[in-house]
Amino acid sequence: MDVSAKAKKWTEVQGVIISLFEDNLELKTPEINKMIKHLEKSGKFSGKEGEVYTFTQEVEGNIEDIVLLGLGKEEDINLEKIKVNLSKAYKKMKELKNDDIIVRMIETENLDLKEMAKAMTISLMLSDYEFDKYKSDKKEEQKDVFVSISCAKLNDSMIEEVEEYIIEGKDIAEGVTIARNLVNEPANEMYPEVLADEAKILGNKFGFEVDIFGREKIEELGMEAFMSVAKGSSKEPKLIVMRYFGDKHNKKDVLGLVGKGLTYDSGGYSIKPTASMDTMKSDMGGAAAVIGAMATIAKRNLRMNVIAVVAACENMISGNAYKPGDIIGSMAGKTIEVLNTDAEGRLTLADAVTYIIRKEKVNEVIEMATLTGAALVALGETTTAVITNDEELYKELEGVSEYTGEKVWKLPTFPEYRELIKSDIADIKNIGGRNAGTITAGLFIEEFVDDGVSFLHLDIAGTAWTDSAKPYKVKGGTGVPVNSIYELAKGRENL
């Protein structure tokens, strides 16, 4: 898809998407305005949020499809509503097989024109996403779609500035697409070595360093928790370390990112039911988001530093696999009682967090993982659960999430929850029982965060994957929270 602010005339395109507020259905284009008045009077279109109405009409001598999009009341508008509703209108335009269209921006004092153009670009590009790589009947060459974003207020002097925001929107959508593609790959095609290779390819393409460590180095580092999970598989585990230094004069100021990299999770000896296994290729959603975010940060040349770590492996069953009841070590030196081998992600993350703090010397860590089914039960597919030891860091995340539309919710960390993961025979146990599962999982990982290090744990079990298509999200990997991590990093730029 090619999105641009370069103005096109209505006579040059196949279709036009027009956004309208419920309390203002007036347009300056006489032909269209006449139809809108008719539709309003007949009760066929009122501008309510999410309302879509299509008709074909001659405009200035050109026959074209018009898609009217309702955005509700002007006072309630925000960027996320723009993205969600524009996605609905664009999908209608695709159904009509139009590949050269104008999207008319709504005129409002409540939103910045440039930010609107950026949000619309993200929505359009992600609405166009498909993962059909393995379909034998897919079209060999899909037609390019050309979208011109226009607005009556958009004069020649503003176009260049708006174009910059559109380019940023494209870059963000590309990072989200990278994450989606990685998650959507089947586990027989996407295993630790392949994920590591993909990280290297993307590092070379976008400009960040990548180091890959295999079994020997992982064992040398003392990452016993990580290796315990990995040893049941015939696939070699990989520790993927990515470094981006956009502020080389201040290398001590580094944001740390950690992503869960279980390229497949059978549950191990605490085996999952069959119905829960087919989507377990998505258990590396955290790793995919970290890689997508790194690609976006590097491509945008942000003036700040980021180091990201992924402990990639499979959780499988074999004679070598770890078992419930085992006591294992960790890079931090803590002993862990394993009560459930399907609570494996927190074990790999414990060592990954220790590594990034002690070896890469970061003093703040944002870790993301498809960690618990309990997060999905509590918050559904809508909201990411967060555990943190730093309220200011959480407020920072909360602010960008409101901007990006990737919702977050902070869970409590009262001392009583920590009691649930105390072990009678080791330093800590890897599950705390049925109650408060999302909280105890996050607190388990936090136990491996050294004093003085700020920590955010994002449980994206519900938000990194969707079982049904949603506005600007298809069934499968969503790419959450790439957009929020990029915006948070952008806010750290040393200008």
Side-chain angles (χ1 to χ4, degrees):
M1 176 184 282
D2 182 27
V3 183
S4 173
K6 293 170 184 174
K8 279 193 173 185
K9 294 179 180 179
W10 286 26
T11 54
E12 299 175 334
V13 297
Q14 299 167 334
V16 180
I17 295 174
I18 301 171
S19 300
L20 294 160
F21 287 124
E22 186 177 354
D23 39 10
N24 182 10
L25 296 179
E26 191 75 25
L27 276 185
K28 293 178 182 178
T29 307
E31 302 98 320
I32 304 294
N33 199 47
K34 185 177 178 181
M35 177 61 82
I36 292 172
K37 291 296 182 185
H38 166 71
L39 294 172
E40 182 184 15
K41 189 176 180 179
S42 61
K44 293 179 180 178
F45 182 80
S46 63
K48 288 183 178 178
E49 186 182 342
E51 193 176 6
V52 175
Y53 190 91
T54 306
F55 61 95
T56 302
Q57 185 164 320
E58 182 178 341
V59 181
E60 299 177 13
N62 186 46
I63 304 294
E64 57 195 6
D65 293 317
I66 309 294
V67 175
L68 300 180
L69 171 64
L71 291 178
K73 295 185 182 300
E74 184 172 2
E75 63 192 40
D76 298 328
I77 196 63
N78 57 42
L79 292 175
E80 179 63 7
K81 287 186 178 182
I82 294 281
K83 288 195 286 188
V84 166
N85 291 299
L86 176 58
S87 179
K88 296 175 184 177
Y90 174 69
K91 287 177 180 178
K92 175 58 70 175
M93 195 62 84
K94 280 187 76 174
E95 286 177 20
L96 297 170
K97 302 188 184 308
N98 292 322
D99 52 39
D100 194 358
I101 63 177
I102 289 174
V103 178
R104 180 183 175 277
M105 276 194 284
I106 196 78
E107 294 183 27
T108 176
E109 299 298 322
N110 297 337
L111 293 175
D112 179 78
L113 195 68
K114 301 184 293 294
E115 295 287 1
M116 230 194 312
K118 173 181 166 182
M120 291 168 72
T121 302
I122 293 169
S123 175
L124 288 163
M125 296 198 71
L126 294 182
S127 296
D128 210 37
Y129 174 85
E130 290 182 66
F131 188 78
D132 59 359
K133 179 178 175 181
Y134 296 100
K135 287 189 174 182
S136 57
D137 61 348
K138 69 176 180 179
K139 294 177 184 176
E140 287 193 21
E141 230 18 87
Q142 287 194 347
K143 289 181 75 174
D144 286 333
V145 178
F146 299 94
V147 181
S148 177
I149 295 178
S150 72
C151 178
K153 290 183 177 179
L154 189 58
N155 56 46
D156 291 343
S157 63
M158 295 172 61
I159 286 179
E160 189 174 339
E161 195 174 355
V162 171
E163 281 284 356
E164 286 301 315
Y165 277 75
I166 288 175
I167 291 168
E168 184 181 16
K170 290 178 182 178
D171 292 342
I172 291 167
E174 184 177 12
V176 174
T177 297
I178 287 167
R180 287 182 178 184
N181 285 340
L182 292 173
V183 169
N184 287 331
E185 285 284 350
N188 62 319
E189 298 288 342
M190 180 58 62
Y191 43 91
E193 183 180 357
V194 177
L195 184 62
D197 289 343
E198 286 294 323
K200 273 195 168 182
I201 290 167
L202 292 166
N204 289 332
K205 180 178 179 180
F206 293 109
F208 57 90
E209 304 169 12
V210 181
D211 277 340
I212 309 297
F213 302 128
R215 185 186 307 274
E216 187 176 334
K217 180 64 175 180
I218 294 166
E219 290 176 342
E220 183 186 316
L221 287 164
M223 303 178 88
E224 188 180 335
F226 175 24
M227 280 306 306
S228 294
V229 177
K231 66 184 183 180
S233 173
S234 61
K235 305 289 189 186
E236 184 181 22
K238 299 292 180 181
L239 183 68
I240 307 167
V241 182
M242 296 160 277
R243 305 180 187 92
Y244 168 77
F245 291 101
D247 182 19
K248 294 180 180 179
H249 299 295
N250 192 17
K251 282 196 172 183
K252 290 185 178 179
D253 186 8
V254 182
L255 173 65
L257 302 177
V258 174
K260 178 182 173 183
L262 266 291
T263 58
Y264 189 75
D265 177 22
S266 70
Y269 278 106
S270 303
I271 193 166
K272 293 178 182 291
T274 301
S276 299
M277 281 199 194
D278 61 322
T279 59
M280 281 301 100
K281 64 181 184 179
S282 70
D283 214 18
M284 39 69 71
V290 162
I291 293 169
M294 287 294 288
T296 309
I297 289 164
K299 186 173 185 182
R300 296 296 302 167
N301 294 312
L302 295 191
R303 290 178 292 277
M304 51 88 64
N305 305 319
V306 192
I307 294 176
V309 171
V310 170
C313 67
E314 294 182 328
N315 184 25
M316 301 294 281
I317 297 173
S318 74
N320 294 323
Y322 74 139
K323 306 170 292 296
D326 286 358
I327 294 179
I328 61 175
S330 65
M331 185 178 178
K334 295 184 187 226
T335 56
I336 303 165
E337 181 185 7
V338 177
L339 296 181
N340 188 320
T341 61
D342 195 24
E344 84 302 325
R346 65 202 72 183
L347 301 177
T348 66
L349 290 165
D351 278 348
V353 165
T354 300
Y355 174 87
I356 200 170
I357 293 170
R358 297 188 180 179
K359 296 296 183 180
E360 301 294 336
K361 307 298 182 185
V362 303
N363 56 15
E364 58 180 353
V365 176
I366 300 175
E367 167 265 311
M368 57 210 76
T370 51
L371 205 63
T372 66
L376 188 58
V377 172
L379 299 174
E381 293 184 351
T382 304
T383 307
T384 292
V386 181
I387 296 290
T388 186
N389 66 2
D390 187 330
E391 188 63 26
E392 288 303 310
L393 184 56
Y394 174 72
K395 289 293 183 186
E396 198 176 344
L397 174 70
E398 189 178 42
V400 298
S401 76
E402 288 173 3
Y403 172 75
T404 64
E406 295 179 340
K407 296 177 177 66
V408 297
W409 192 260
K410 183 168 71 74
L411 299 178
T413 56
F414 301 125
E416 290 85 349
Y417 294 122
R418 298 178 193 276
E419 292 294 318
L420 297 176
I421 51 175
K422 284 188 175 179
S423 169
D424 294 331
I425 56 175
D427 294 328
I428 194 170
K429 57 186 180 182
N430 77 327
I431 58 169
R434 289 179 58 84
N435 297 332
T438 301
I439 295 172
T440 55
L443 290 177
F444 176 93
I445 300 166
E446 191 184 298
E447 286 291 321
F448 295 84
V449 176
D450 291 345
D451 291 343
V453 177
S454 296
F455 176 67
L456 273 180
H457 160 68
L458 279 58
D459 193 331
I460 57 174
T463 53
W465 179 273
T466 180
D467 287 323
S468 59
K470 294 177 173 59
Y472 73 91
K473 294 172 185 173
V474 298
K475 182 179 178 180
T478 65
V480 172
V482 170
N483 197 352
S484 293
I485 298 303
Y486 163 74
E487 292 293 346
L488 188 144
K490 181 183 172 185
R492 298 296 184 82
E493 276 194 291
N494 295 310
L495 303 175

mmCIF file with all atom_site columns, all heavy atoms in Angstrom, residues 92-108:
data_model
loop_
_atom_site.group_PDB
_atom_site.id
_atom_site.type_symbol
_atom_site.label_atom_id
_atom_site.label_alt_id
_atom_site.label_comp_id
_atom_site.label_asym_id
_atom_site.label_entity_id
_atom_site.label_seq_id
_atom_site.pdbx_PDB_ins_code
_atom_site.Cartn_x
_atom_site.Cartn_y
_atom_site.Cartn_z
_atom_site.occupancy
_atom_site.B_iso_or_equiv
_atom_site.pdbx_formal_charge
_atom_site.auth_seq_id
_atom_site.auth_comp_id
_atom_site.auth_asym_id
_atom_site.auth_atom_id
_atom_site.pdbx_PDB_model_num
ATOM 1   N N   . LYS A 1 92  ? -14.593 -2.011 3.571  1.00 0.00 ? 92  LYS A N   1
ATOM 2   C CA  . LYS A 1 92  ? -15.723 -1.915 2.646  1.00 0.00 ? 92  LYS A CA  1
ATOM 3   C C   . LYS A 1 92  ? -15.234 -1.504 1.256  1.00 0.00 ? 92  LYS A C   1
ATOM 4   O O   . LYS A 1 92  ? -15.687 -2.032 0.233  1.00 0.00 ? 92  LYS A O   1
ATOM 5   C CB  . LYS A 1 92  ? -16.737 -0.905 3.177  1.00 0.00 ? 92  LYS A CB  1
ATOM 6   C CG  . LYS A 1 92  ? -17.902 -0.620 2.239  1.00 0.00 ? 92  LYS A CG  1
ATOM 7   C CD  . LYS A 1 92  ? -18.691 -1.884 1.891  1.00 0.00 ? 92  LYS A CD  1
ATOM 8   C CE  . LYS A 1 92  ? -19.477 -2.407 3.070  1.00 0.00 ? 92  LYS A CE  1
ATOM 9   N NZ  . LYS A 1 92  ? -20.328 -3.570 2.675  1.00 0.00 ? 92  LYS A NZ  1
ATOM 10  N N   . MET A 1 93  ? -14.270 -0.578 1.216  1.00 0.00 ? 93  MET A N   1
ATOM 11  C CA  . MET A 1 93  ? -13.723 -0.138 -0.062 1.00 0.00 ? 93  MET A CA  1
ATOM 12  C C   . MET A 1 93  ? -12.990 -1.294 -0.761 1.00 0.00 ? 93  MET A C   1
ATOM 13  O O   . MET A 1 93  ? -13.052 -1.436 -1.985 1.00 0.00 ? 93  MET A O   1
ATOM 14  C CB  . MET A 1 93  ? -12.774 1.041  0.157  1.00 0.00 ? 93  MET A CB  1
ATOM 15  C CG  . MET A 1 93  ? -12.430 1.809  -1.100 1.00 0.00 ? 93  MET A CG  1
ATOM 16  S SD  . MET A 1 93  ? -13.840 2.581  -1.927 1.00 0.00 ? 93  MET A SD  1
ATOM 17  C CE  . MET A 1 93  ? -14.007 4.116  -1.028 1.00 0.00 ? 93  MET A CE  1
ATOM 18  N N   . LYS A 1 94  ? -12.316 -2.145 0.009  1.00 0.00 ? 94  LYS A N   1
ATOM 19  C CA  . LYS A 1 94  ? -11.645 -3.315 -0.571 1.00 0.00 ? 94  LYS A CA  1
ATOM 20  C C   . LYS A 1 94  ? -12.665 -4.292 -1.161 1.00 0.00 ? 94  LYS A C   1
ATOM 21  O O   . LYS A 1 94  ? -12.421 -4.887 -2.213 1.00 0.00 ? 94  LYS A O   1
ATOM 22  C CB  . LYS A 1 94  ? -10.801 -4.034 0.493  1.00 0.00 ? 94  LYS A CB  1
ATOM 23  C CG  . LYS A 1 94  ? -9.460  -3.391 0.761  1.00 0.00 ? 94  LYS A CG  1
ATOM 24  C CD  . LYS A 1 94  ? -8.608  -4.231 1.690  1.00 0.00 ? 94  LYS A CD  1
ATOM 25  C CE  . LYS A 1 94  ? -8.005  -5.419 0.990  1.00 0.00 ? 94  LYS A CE  1
ATOM 26  N NZ  . LYS A 1 94  ? -7.068  -6.174 1.842  1.00 0.00 ? 94  LYS A NZ  1
ATOM 27  N N   . GLU A 1 95  ? -13.794 -4.464 -0.469 1.00 0.00 ? 95  GLU A N   1
ATOM 28  C CA  . GLU A 1 95  ? -14.849 -5.337 -0.979 1.00 0.00 ? 95  GLU A CA  1
ATOM 29  C C   . GLU A 1 95  ? -15.328 -4.862 -2.350 1.00 0.00 ? 95  GLU A C   1
ATOM 30  O O   . GLU A 1 95  ? -15.714 -5.669 -3.201 1.00 0.00 ? 95  GLU A O   1
ATOM 31  C CB  . GLU A 1 95  ? -16.038 -5.356 -0.010 1.00 0.00 ? 95  GLU A CB  1
ATOM 32  C CG  . GLU A 1 95  ? -15.812 -6.151 1.257  1.00 0.00 ? 95  GLU A CG  1
ATOM 33  C CD  . GLU A 1 95  ? -17.005 -6.062 2.191  1.00 0.00 ? 95  GLU A CD  1
ATOM 34  O OE1 . GLU A 1 95  ? -18.115 -5.726 1.713  1.00 0.00 ? 95  GLU A OE1 1
ATOM 35  O OE2 . GLU A 1 95  ? -16.829 -6.307 3.391  1.00 0.00 ? 95  GLU A OE2 1
ATOM 36  N N   . LEU A 1 96  ? -15.298 -3.547 -2.543 1.00 0.00 ? 96  LEU A N   1
ATOM 37  C CA  . LEU A 1 96  ? -15.728 -2.965 -3.813 1.00 0.00 ? 96  LEU A CA  1
ATOM 38  C C   . LEU A 1 96  ? -14.628 -3.006 -4.869 1.00 0.00 ? 96  LEU A C   1
ATOM 39  O O   . LEU A 1 96  ? -14.800 -2.501 -5.979 1.00 0.00 ? 96  LEU A O   1
ATOM 40  C CB  . LEU A 1 96  ? -16.183 -1.517 -3.581 1.00 0.00 ? 96  LEU A CB  1
ATOM 41  C CG  . LEU A 1 96  ? -17.403 -1.346 -2.657 1.00 0.00 ? 96  LEU A CG  1
ATOM 42  C CD1 . LEU A 1 96  ? -17.613 0.122  -2.310 1.00 0.00 ? 96  LEU A CD1 1
ATOM 43  C CD2 . LEU A 1 96  ? -18.645 -1.937 -3.301 1.00 0.00 ? 96  LEU A CD2 1
ATOM 44  N N   . LYS A 1 97  ? -13.471 -3.596 -4.489 1.00 0.00 ? 97  LYS A N   1
ATOM 45  C CA  . LYS A 1 97  ? -12.331 -3.804 -5.392 1.00 0.00 ? 97  LYS A CA  1
ATOM 46  C C   . LYS A 1 97  ? -11.753 -2.492 -5.940 1.00 0.00 ? 97  LYS A C   1
ATOM 47  O O   . LYS A 1 97  ? -11.338 -2.405 -7.093 1.00 0.00 ? 97  LYS A O   1
ATOM 48  C CB  . LYS A 1 97  ? -12.718 -4.740 -6.547 1.00 0.00 ? 97  LYS A CB  1
ATOM 49  C CG  . LYS A 1 97  ? -13.212 -6.098 -6.071 1.00 0.00 ? 97  LYS A CG  1
ATOM 50  C CD  . LYS A 1 97  ? -13.404 -7.056 -7.208 1.00 0.00 ? 97  LYS A CD  1
ATOM 51  C CE  . LYS A 1 97  ? -13.994 -8.386 -6.758 1.00 0.00 ? 97  LYS A CE  1
ATOM 52  N NZ  . LYS A 1 97  ? -13.289 -9.024 -5.661 1.00 0.00 ? 97  LYS A NZ  1
ATOM 53  N N   . ASN A 1 98  ? -11.750 -1.483 -5.094 1.00 0.00 ? 98  ASN A N   1
ATOM 54  C CA  . ASN A 1 98  ? -11.144 -0.203 -5.458 1.00 0.00 ? 98  ASN A CA  1
ATOM 55  C C   . ASN A 1 98  ? -9.720  -0.148 -4.930 1.00 0.00 ? 98  ASN A C   1
ATOM 56  O O   . ASN A 1 98  ? -9.480  -0.423 -3.754 1.00 0.00 ? 98  ASN A O   1
ATOM 57  C CB  . ASN A 1 98  ? -11.951 0.963  -4.894 1.00 0.00 ? 98  ASN A CB  1
ATOM 58  C CG  . ASN A 1 98  ? -13.310 1.092  -5.551 1.00 0.00 ? 98  ASN A CG  1
ATOM 59  O OD1 . ASN A 1 98  ? -13.430 0.884  -6.751 1.00 0.00 ? 98  ASN A OD1 1
ATOM 60  N ND2 . ASN A 1 98  ? -14.336 1.414  -4.777 1.00 0.00 ? 98  ASN A ND2 1
ATOM 61  N N   . ASP A 1 99  ? -8.763  0.209  -5.775 1.00 0.00 ? 99  ASP A N   1
ATOM 62  C CA  . ASP A 1 99  ? -7.370  0.270  -5.341 1.00 0.00 ? 99  ASP A CA  1
ATOM 63  C C   . ASP A 1 99  ? -6.744  1.649  -5.538 1.00 0.00 ? 99  ASP A C   1
ATOM 64  O O   . ASP A 1 99  ? -5.541  1.825  -5.397 1.00 0.00 ? 99  ASP A O   1
ATOM 65  C CB  . ASP A 1 99  ? -6.528  -0.794 -6.054 1.00 0.00 ? 99  ASP A CB  1
ATOM 66  C CG  . ASP A 1 99  ? -6.684  -0.752 -7.564 1.00 0.00 ? 99  ASP A CG  1
ATOM 67  O OD1 . ASP A 1 99  ? -6.772  0.357  -8.106 1.00 0.00 ? 99  ASP A OD1 1
ATOM 68  O OD2 . ASP A 1 99  ? -6.727  -1.828 -8.186 1.00 0.00 ? 99  ASP A OD2 1
ATOM 69  N N   . ASP A 1 100 ? -7.561  2.635  -5.840 1.00 0.00 ? 100 ASP A N   1
ATOM 70  C CA  . ASP A 1 100 ? -7.079  4.019  -5.930 1.00 0.00 ? 100 ASP A CA  1
ATOM 71  C C   . ASP A 1 100 ? -8.140  4.900  -5.293 1.00 0.00 ? 100 ASP A C   1
ATOM 72  O O   . ASP A 1 100 ? -9.202  5.141  -5.879 1.00 0.00 ? 100 ASP A O   1
ATOM 73  C CB  . ASP A 1 100 ? -6.861  4.409  -7.393 1.00 0.00 ? 100 ASP A CB  1
ATOM 74  C CG  . ASP A 1 100 ? -6.047  5.697  -7.524 1.00 0.00 ? 100 ASP A CG  1
ATOM 75  O OD1 . ASP A 1 100 ? -5.691  6.287  -6.483 1.00 0.00 ? 100 ASP A OD1 1
ATOM 76  O OD2 . ASP A 1 100 ? -5.777  6.118  -8.664 1.00 0.00 ? 100 ASP A OD2 1
ATOM 77  N N   . ILE A 1 101 ? -7.860  5.340  -4.062 1.00 0.00 ? 101 ILE A N   1
ATOM 78  C CA  . ILE A 1 101 ? -8.911  6.003  -3.292 1.00 0.00 ? 101 ILE A CA  1
ATOM 79  C C   . ILE A 1 101 ? -8.403  7.261  -2.594 1.00 0.00 ? 101 ILE A C   1
ATOM 80  O O   . ILE A 1 101 ? -7.197  7.440  -2.391 1.00 0.00 ? 101 ILE A O   1
ATOM 81  C CB  . ILE A 1 101 ? -9.519  5.047  -2.233 1.00 0.00 ? 101 ILE A CB  1
ATOM 82  C CG1 . ILE A 1 101 ? -8.466  4.639  -1.202 1.00 0.00 ? 101 ILE A CG1 1
ATOM 83  C CG2 . ILE A 1 101 ? -10.130 3.819  -2.878 1.00 0.00 ? 101 ILE A CG2 1
ATOM 84  C CD1 . ILE A 1 101 ? -9.004  3.767  -0.085 1.00 0.00 ? 101 ILE A CD1 1
ATOM 85  N N   . ILE A 1 102 ? -9.332  8.095  -2.241 1.00 0.00 ? 102 ILE A N   1
ATOM 86  C CA  . ILE A 1 102 ? -9.066  9.262  -1.398 1.00 0.00 ? 102 ILE A CA  1
ATOM 87  C C   . ILE A 1 102 ? -9.724  9.013  -0.044 1.00 0.00 ? 102 ILE A C   1
ATOM 88  O O   . ILE A 1 102 ? -10.866 8.551  0.025  1.00 0.00 ? 102 ILE A O   1
ATOM 89  C CB  . ILE A 1 102 ? -9.650  10.550 -2.005 1.00 0.00 ? 102 ILE A CB  1
ATOM 90  C CG1 . ILE A 1 102 ? -8.868  10.982 -3.254 1.00 0.00 ? 102 ILE A CG1 1
ATOM 91  C CG2 . ILE A 1 102 ? -9.640  11.699 -0.998 1.00 0.00 ? 102 ILE A CG2 1
ATOM 92  C CD1 . ILE A 1 102 ? -9.470  12.166 -3.979 1.00 0.00 ? 102 ILE A CD1 1
ATOM 93  N N   . VAL A 1 103 ? -8.993  9.291  1.025  1.00 0.00 ? 103 VAL A N   1
ATOM 94  C CA  . VAL A 1 103 ? -9.565  9.279  2.366  1.00 0.00 ? 103 VAL A CA  1
ATOM 95  C C   . VAL A 1 103 ? -9.600  10.720 2.853  1.00 0.00 ? 103 VAL A C   1
ATOM 96  O O   . VAL A 1 103 ? -8.557  11.359 3.003  1.00 0.00 ? 103 VAL A O   1
ATOM 97  C CB  . VAL A 1 103 ? -8.747  8.405  3.343  1.00 0.00 ? 103 VAL A CB  1
ATOM 98  C CG1 . VAL A 1 103 ? -9.358  8.471  4.737  1.00 0.00 ? 103 VAL A CG1 1
ATOM 99  C CG2 . VAL A 1 103 ? -8.686  6.972  2.854  1.00 0.00 ? 103 VAL A CG2 1
ATOM 100 N N   . ARG A 1 104 ? -10.805 11.210 3.052  1.00 0.00 ? 104 ARG A N   1
ATOM 101 C CA  . ARG A 1 104 ? -10.967 12.600 3.473  1.00 0.00 ? 104 ARG A CA  1
ATOM 102 C C   . ARG A 1 104 ? -10.915 12.683 4.988  1.00 0.00 ? 104 ARG A C   1
ATOM 103 O O   . ARG A 1 104 ? -11.734 12.085 5.687  1.00 0.00 ? 104 ARG A O   1
ATOM 104 C CB  . ARG A 1 104 ? -12.312 13.144 2.955  1.00 0.00 ? 104 ARG A CB  1
ATOM 105 C CG  . ARG A 1 104 ? -12.594 14.582 3.334  1.00 0.00 ? 104 ARG A CG  1
ATOM 106 C CD  . ARG A 1 104 ? -13.984 14.970 2.820  1.00 0.00 ? 104 ARG A CD  1
ATOM 107 N NE  . ARG A 1 104 ? -14.372 16.292 3.248  1.00 0.00 ? 104 ARG A NE  1
ATOM 108 C CZ  . ARG A 1 104 ? -14.908 16.568 4.438  1.00 0.00 ? 104 ARG A CZ  1
ATOM 109 N NH1 . ARG A 1 104 ? -15.103 15.592 5.314  1.00 0.00 ? 104 ARG A NH1 1
ATOM 110 N NH2 . ARG A 1 104 ? -15.255 17.796 4.739  1.00 0.00 ? 104 ARG A NH2 1
ATOM 111 N N   . MET A 1 105 ? -9.933  13.413 5.512  1.00 0.00 ? 105 MET A N   1
ATOM 112 C CA  . MET A 1 105 ? -9.807  13.594 6.955  1.00 0.00 ? 105 MET A CA  1
ATOM 113 C C   . MET A 1 105 ? -10.943 14.456 7.486  1.00 0.00 ? 105 MET A C   1
ATOM 114 O O   . MET A 1 105 ? -11.350 15.428 6.850  1.00 0.00 ? 105 MET A O   1
ATOM 115 C CB  . MET A 1 105 ? -8.468  14.245 7.312  1.00 0.00 ? 105 MET A CB  1
ATOM 116 C CG  . MET A 1 105 ? -7.329  13.267 7.411  1.00 0.00 ? 105 MET A CG  1
ATOM 117 S SD  . MET A 1 105 ? -5.864  13.962 8.206  1.00 0.00 ? 105 MET A SD  1
ATOM 118 C CE  . MET A 1 105 ? -5.200  14.975 6.910  1.00 0.00 ? 105 MET A CE  1
ATOM 119 N N   . ILE A 1 106 ? -11.419 14.091 8.666  1.00 0.00 ? 106 ILE A N   1
ATOM 120 C CA  . ILE A 1 106 ? -12.442 14.890 9.331  1.00 0.00 ? 106 ILE A CA  1
ATOM 121 C C   . ILE A 1 106 ? -11.837 16.207 9.798  1.00 0.00 ? 106 ILE A C   1
ATOM 122 O O   . ILE A 1 106 ? -10.665 16.264 10.180 1.00 0.00 ? 106 ILE A O   1
ATOM 123 C CB  . ILE A 1 106 ? -13.051 14.109 10.526 1.00 0.00 ? 106 ILE A CB  1
ATOM 124 C CG1 . ILE A 1 106 ? -14.351 14.732 10.988 1.00 0.00 ? 106 ILE A CG1 1
ATOM 125 C CG2 . ILE A 1 106 ? -12.061 14.009 11.680 1.00 0.00 ? 106 ILE A CG2 1
ATOM 126 C CD1 . ILE A 1 106 ? -15.517 14.406 10.113 1.00 0.00 ? 106 ILE A CD1 1
ATOM 127 N N   . GLU A 1 107 ? -12.597 17.251 9.773  1.00 0.00 ? 107 GLU A N   1
ATOM 128 C CA  . GLU A 1 107 ? -12.124 18.549 10.245 1.00 0.00 ? 107 GLU A CA  1
ATOM 129 C C   . GLU A 1 107 ? -12.598 18.756 11.679 1.00 0.00 ? 107 GLU A C   1
ATOM 130 O O   . GLU A 1 107 ? -13.801 18.756 11.952 1.00 0.00 ? 107 GLU A O   1
ATOM 131 C CB  . GLU A 1 107 ? -12.645 19.670 9.342  1.00 0.00 ? 107 GLU A CB  1
ATOM 132 C CG  . GLU A 1 107 ? -12.073 19.606 7.928  1.00 0.00 ? 107 GLU A CG  1
ATOM 133 C CD  . GLU A 1 107 ? -12.542 20.766 7.064  1.00 0.00 ? 107 GLU A CD  1
ATOM 134 O OE1 . GLU A 1 107 ? -12.847 21.837 7.631  1.00 0.00 ? 107 GLU A OE1 1
ATOM 135 O OE2 . GLU A 1 107 ? -12.594 20.599 5.834  1.00 0.00 ? 107 GLU A OE2 1
ATOM 136 N N   . THR A 1 108 ? -11.668 18.878 12.600 1.00 0.00 ? 108 THR A N   1
ATOM 137 C CA  . THR A 1 108 ? -11.995 19.065 14.009 1.00 0.00 ? 108 THR A CA  1
ATOM 138 C C   . THR A 1 108 ? -10.859 19.780 14.721 1.00 0.00 ? 108 THR A C   1
ATOM 139 O O   . THR A 1 108 ? -9.685  19.586 14.396 1.00 0.00 ? 108 THR A O   1
ATOM 140 C CB  . THR A 1 108 ? -12.274 17.712 14.704 1.00 0.00 ? 108 THR A CB  1
ATOM 141 O OG1 . THR A 1 108 ? -12.505 17.939 16.101 1.00 0.00 ? 108 THR A OG1 1
ATOM 142 C CG2 . THR A 1 108 ? -11.112 16.745 14.544 1.00 0.00 ? 108 THR A CG2 1
#
